[in-house]
Amino acid sequence: IEVFVIMTKHAAEMVPPSEFEKASGNKVYLELFEKGFDYKTILENRKVEHIEIAERADVLAIVPATANVIAKIAHGIADDFLTTTYLATTAPIIICPAMNVNMWNNPATQQNIKKLKQTGIQIIEPSEGMLACGYEGKGKLEEIDIISYEIKKQLNRNNSLRGKKILITSGGTTEKIDDVRFIANRSSGKTGATIAEECYLRGAEVLLLRSINSVQPRYK
């Protein structure tokens, strides 16, 4: 897998970009306007770095994703290399939050996470444990093996169902016996939601009919 690293200015304060250049073998993208930037060169070559990286990506993974970055992405703010690349890419996006437990539980953060899920972005939620700030709770970056697995799973998907229209039903049902009695089941709808998600990720146009109390899919 060829890896290109984008860093925010705050991330570069914590880890030198040179470390990621050694690890990836590629240039680290940090500044929208690097030293010596000349707009005339852009117009002559018709090449903009964050657009090229966005088009080249098969998956965009934001690891870790701070509350600030999540908020900016949820509201379409593009003021650095990372957020402009996010807006420009059509690749699947995986966001891996990491922050203080109170920041994670804050209603504003949870609303932003909900909004991103509704747009089809995969969220690998943080795990519970001891946090860098000394607090203990949910907010710890998920294990790297799990994140790596999810990235590879996205890369291995294909568009085998592109152009197909698929109808899926899920959740509990009731069947009337008479005016008083009925037969019902306690189906959660998890299987139907999972099938719908997979079909969607493989390029299909999916219509999911689910019962009112069944599990909602991650993508809408």
Side-chain angles (χ1 to χ4, degrees):
I1 299 172
E2 190 171 14
V3 179
F4 296 92
V5 178
I6 298 171
M7 298 183 73
T8 62
K9 289 182 179 180
H10 289 161
E13 293 291 332
M14 300 180 70
V15 183
S18 58
E19 294 297 315
F20 286 102
E21 289 179 345
K22 291 177 186 177
S24 67
N26 290 310
K27 168 187 174 181
V28 167
Y29 295 91
L30 180 63
E31 300 282 356
L32 271 177
F33 302 100
E34 294 182 333
K35 189 176 180 179
F37 175 84
D38 185 354
Y39 77 91
K40 294 179 182 178
T41 303
I42 300 295
L43 293 177
E44 289 174 1
N45 299 325
R46 297 295 176 181
K47 289 184 178 181
V48 180
E49 282 188 324
H50 64 272
I51 300 300
E52 288 192 317
I53 290 296
E55 290 181 347
R56 190 169 184 175
D58 294 304
V59 172
L60 173 60
I62 303 178
V63 187
T66 63
N68 181 56
V69 166
I70 289 170
K72 290 202 290 186
I73 287 175
H75 292 87
I77 296 172
D79 60 358
D80 59 12
F81 204 104
L82 173 60
T83 50
T84 51
T85 301
Y86 156 76
L87 281 185
T89 193
T90 57
I93 297 169
I94 299 175
I95 291 181
C96 307
M99 63 195 74
N100 169 269
V101 59
N102 292 334
M103 294 175 71
W104 171 253
N105 290 328
N106 189 286
T109 300
Q110 289 303 307
Q111 188 64 35
N112 290 334
I113 290 292
K114 181 180 179 181
K115 187 174 182 179
L116 293 179
K117 286 181 178 180
Q118 289 175 340
T119 61
I121 292 176
Q122 181 179 354
I123 307 292
I124 300 179
E125 295 201 3
S127 59
E128 294 190 13
M130 182 60 67
L131 308 178
C133 58
Y135 281 65
E136 189 167 358
K138 191 170 184 178
K140 183 180 178 182
L141 183 69
E142 184 54 276
E143 295 296 330
I144 295 300
D145 287 346
I146 294 175
I147 296 172
S148 175
Y149 172 79
E150 292 297 329
I151 291 173
K152 290 174 183 176
K153 190 165 72 171
Q154 286 283 7
L155 289 172
N156 289 330
R157 282 197 171 95
N158 54 48
N159 292 320
S160 58
L161 297 178
R162 185 174 295 279
K164 304 292 184 180
K165 295 182 179 180
I166 298 177
L167 172 64
I168 297 170
T169 61
S170 72
T173 57
T174 60
E175 187 65 30
K176 183 178 178 180
I177 298 175
D178 53 36
D179 291 339
V180 177
R181 295 170 295 173
F182 62 86
I183 298 173
N185 63 73
R186 295 179 178 176
S187 173
S188 66
K190 289 181 180 179
T191 299
T194 300
I195 292 172
E197 289 171 5
E198 188 64 28
C199 291
Y200 170 78
L201 291 171
R202 294 192 182 194
E205 182 180 340
V206 181
L207 176 60
L208 175 64
L209 298 180
R210 64 182 187 87
S211 59
I212 191 168
N213 293 320
S214 66
V215 171
Q216 292 191 34
R218 290 178 297 170
Y219 311 105
K220 292 186 178 180

